[in-house]
Amino acid sequence: MPSMVSADIVDEAERRAYNYLSTRKTLACSQTVLLTIQEVFGVRDDLMVKAVGPLAGGSRIYSLCGALIGGAIALGMFFGSERLDDFDALVKSYEPIKDYYRKFEREFGSRYCIAIIGYDLNNPNERQKWLDSGGWEKCSRLCGKAARMVAEIIVSRKQA
């Protein structure tokens, strides 16, 4: 039965993240993934969700995908060091994040928003091309997959 519950959590994370962005209940991929993981695992922090908003779309400076960052921050909530002076715990906390980064890059071909979506969202003409190409739908699917990856990591490491 625990594996069924775990599978349900992972499926719910993917479904919820996809639905949030595809219906525009959220507008930032970073917030979508973080909020989804918080809700699915019952650890909601609205200030943290607010804080990651400007990280969406590579912060519009050709940076990391917001879904990647939102997921990494969610993992930090679960696996980050409780003590600021515990070096061994800090080093251990890198492992789930590194796992996520590898999976994310393997799935999407890059860590960088512009490389993944193919458009510069800071440029109005490029943003329109992204919209015309079904950008919301593509990013909604990406957020769903990213949330699923994060949920899988949390579930697998909590069971270990």
Side-chain angles (χ1 to χ4, degrees), residues 107-118:
E107 177 70 26
F108 302 112
S110 180
R111 296 177 187 172
Y112 295 91
C113 177
I114 195 167
I116 295 168
I117 68 170

Side-chain angles (χ1 to χ4, degrees), residues 1-13 40-41 151 155 159:
M1 190 65 169
S3 63
M4 183 60 156
V5 171
S6 298
D8 290 345
I9 288 170
V10 169
D11 290 344
E12 176 64 13
V40 168
F41 289 94
V155 167
Q159 289 177 347

Side-chain angles (χ1 to χ4, degrees), residues 13-15 17-19 21-22 28-30 32-33 57 64-71 100 103-105 107-118 130 134-150:
E14 183 172 11
R15 185 194 65 74
Y18 171 83
N19 286 337
L21 198 63
S22 69
C29 52
S30 49
T32 300
V33 174
L64 296 172
C65 171
L68 176 65
I69 297 173
Y100 177 52
K103 289 177 180 184
F104 188 95
E105 194 165 17
E107 177 70 26
F108 302 112
S110 180
R111 296 177 187 172
Y112 295 91
C113 177
I114 195 167
I116 295 168
I117 68 170
W130 172 79
W136 281 110
E137 175 63 22
K138 292 174 188 173
C139 287
S140 297
R141 286 193 310 262
L142 182 147
C143 285
K145 289 179 182 179
R148 180 179 197 87
M149 287 177 205
V150 173

Side-chain angles (χ1 to χ4, degrees), residues 54-95:
L55 303 174
S59 297
R60 300 219 175 158
I61 56 167
Y62 318 110
S63 193
L64 296 172
C65 171
L68 176 65
I69 297 173
I73 291 170
L75 288 168
M77 290 179 64
F78 287 90
F79 303 109
S81 175
E82 296 288 334
R83 290 188 24 224
L84 300 178
D85 63 347
D86 187 341
F87 184 74
D88 291 336
L90 175 63
V91 170
K92 185 178 178 184
S93 73
Y94 294 141
E95 292 309 312

Side-chain angles (χ1 to χ4, degrees), residues 32-45:
T32 300
V33 174
L34 178 60
L35 174 64
T36 295
I37 296 301
Q38 286 183 353
E39 288 183 349
V40 168
F41 289 94
V43 291
R44 180 86 180 252
D45 183 329

